[in-house]
Structures are given as structure tokens and as C-alpha cells.
Amino acid sequence: MTTDPAVLSAEPVAPADRLILALDVPGPAPARRLVEELGDAVTFYKLGLELFLSGGYFELVDWLVARGKRVFADLKLFDVPETVRGAVRALAARPVDFLTVHAQDDAVLAAAAGAKGGIRILAVTVLTSLDEADLARDLGVAVDVRRLVLSRARRALALGCDGVIASGREVGALRAELGPRPIVVAPGIRPAGDRPADDQKRVVTVEEAFASGADHVVVGRPIKNAPDPRAAAAAIQATIAGLFADR
């Protein structure tokens, strides 16, 4: 596909850091093995709830940082505002780049943003495992996913969040309305022609996400489950390097 350089993210970040690997494994031991296998092919890791509940989460964070890696704490916080404020304040002492908070409640977003310290708060707009039929069942009314994502993103930024998590399908609309300032991270990335037989519904390719203006993509199973994870990661990094060659 042809990519308009004017659309590509202007976020001052090394091309290698634009790929975030979803470290969705059962515990710290397999996490360390995968990180060591990937070596310098991946520099940025997302640590989610599975690892958080397996024990040793913060020790793993420190282990990654000691090896020059960046860390994204994908904890998707959502609770009463004071509880979220306390959780963010506690995490702010850790060497974490990004932290996710669900975008459904303004008071929760404001509490997180007010306690973030050096962490950048990313608001989760609509999970990529949901489509319009899912949202209609949940909310009881017909919902346009793009309008909902834009509404939640607009509010999150106004309340002090630094960016959003959104499917690559909505990134172009986000950039058109919100401009280059917010950090936009696109999960649900799949190779061209790969319709997932899993829980992801609103998926795009690496090229499509960046061509729409994403700053980072999150890739999990296409790397983790590949016959050669390092080669799979290196191939994605080569694609990204080619897209941002003139930046």
C-alpha cells in the first residue's frame, strides 16, 4: 500500500519503539524466556492483567527496564475515582511509560490524570474485541463505534489524559478531529489477509494502523505464536522502519 508521509505519526520516538509486544503469558518465567528469545527485535513490552495476577509483576518491570526495555502497564483501571487515584499514584513511582484506564467515566479519568506523575495515561476507548452488535447489547441502543470512540477520546484528553487506545479502524478519524497531539496506540494488529479465529474483531494491519496516524501498534499472538517469534518481530520492525525511513 502507498503511505502518505504527511499522515505518519510525528511523535518523537525511535521506530523500533513503535512496536509494542503484548507479553500475554502465564507468568514471569515464560515472560523472561520470550523476552530473551526476542532479544533486540523488541524494545517495548505491554504487561497486562494475566501477568499482574500471576505474581512478580513489578519485579518483571524492573527486570525489563534493567535490560533497556520500555514498559506499558496495561491494567485498564476502572473503579471509584479515589481508588483509581491511589492506584495510579502508587504506580507512578515505577519505571513505567504508559498506563491504561477505561474511558467510560469522566471522574475516573480525571482522578487518574491528576495522579499520573511521569506516567502517561492512555484512555481505553472501545475494546477491539467489541463490535457494534456487542455494544448495542450492552448499552441497549444502537451505537456507532467511531462516534463513541471519538466522544470518549475527546473527553479523556480534555480531562488530562495523554492519549488513547483505539482500533486502527478509528485512528484516522481521531487524527482528523484531534490532530497530532494525543498519543494513539492501536491494538488488534493482524497480518494482511489474516482474519482472526479469536476474540479480536476490529483488526487492521501494521501498515493500515500507521498510515492512519497511529504512534504505536500492539502485537501479541502474530509474534508470540509464530514458529520463529524473533523473525516475526524483526519482519514487523522492518516494515515500520521502511514506513518511517524519511522521519
Side-chain angles (χ1 to χ4, degrees):
M1 67 179 296
T2 300
T3 301
D4 180 357
V7 178
L8 291 173
S9 162
E11 177 77 3
V13 57
D17 286 350
R18 294 189 182 277
L19 169 64
I20 300 175
L21 189 285
L23 203 53
D24 296 330
V25 294
R32 290 186 174 93
R33 286 196 296 271
L34 181 56
V35 171
E36 288 171 344
E37 179 180 3
L38 292 169
D40 59 5
V42 176
T43 60
F44 208 154
Y45 286 91
K46 180 179 81 72
L47 280 62
L49 288 173
E50 184 177 12
L51 274 172
F52 186 75
L53 293 171
S54 69
Y57 187 89
F58 295 116
E59 291 81 2
L60 181 59
V61 169
D62 293 340
W63 183 86
L64 286 166
V65 171
R67 281 153 181 77
K69 309 300 185 183
R70 298 178 63 187
V71 176
F72 168 10
D74 185 26
L75 300 180
K76 296 184 178 71
L77 300 179
F78 189 70
D79 208 315
V80 296
E82 198 56 39
T83 297
V84 169
R85 190 191 323 277
V88 174
R89 187 182 295 120
L91 194 62
R94 300 283 179 172
V96 169
D97 287 275
F98 298 155
L99 170 65
T100 47
V101 180
H102 275 294
Q104 284 94 320
D105 185 272
D106 286 5
V108 169
L109 293 172
K116 64 184 180 181
I119 294 177
R120 288 184 284 184
I121 301 296
L122 304 181
V124 180
T125 54
V126 175
L127 295 172
T128 51
S129 60
L130 301 177
D131 58 18
E132 291 183 346
D134 298 317
L135 290 169
R137 282 193 296 272
D138 180 41
L139 300 176
V141 294
V143 176
D144 182 292
V145 172
R146 181 171 296 188
R147 290 181 62 185
L148 181 60
V149 167
L150 286 170
S151 172
R152 289 177 172 174
R154 199 182 303 118
R155 297 197 328 269
L157 295 174
L159 292 164
C161 294
D162 300 281
V164 298
I165 306 291
S167 162
R169 296 188 184 185
E170 288 91 48
V171 171
L174 287 167
R175 287 295 183 216
E177 178 160 332
L178 303 174
R181 182 179 69 85
I183 299 165
V184 179
V185 177
I189 302 298
R190 292 291 185 271
D194 179 8
R195 296 303 304 173
D198 54 42
D199 56 356
Q200 296 293 339
K201 294 180 179 178
R202 296 178 4 263
V203 300
V204 298
T205 66
V206 170
E207 295 91 338
E208 288 168 337
F210 285 118
S212 298
D215 295 303
H216 302 268
V217 295
V218 177
V219 183
R221 283 166 280 203
I223 292 175
K224 185 183 67 172
N225 296 342
D228 185 340
R230 183 185 176 94
I236 292 173
Q237 292 287 28
T239 296
I240 295 170
L243 290 171
F244 288 90
D246 297 327
R247 289 300 173 104

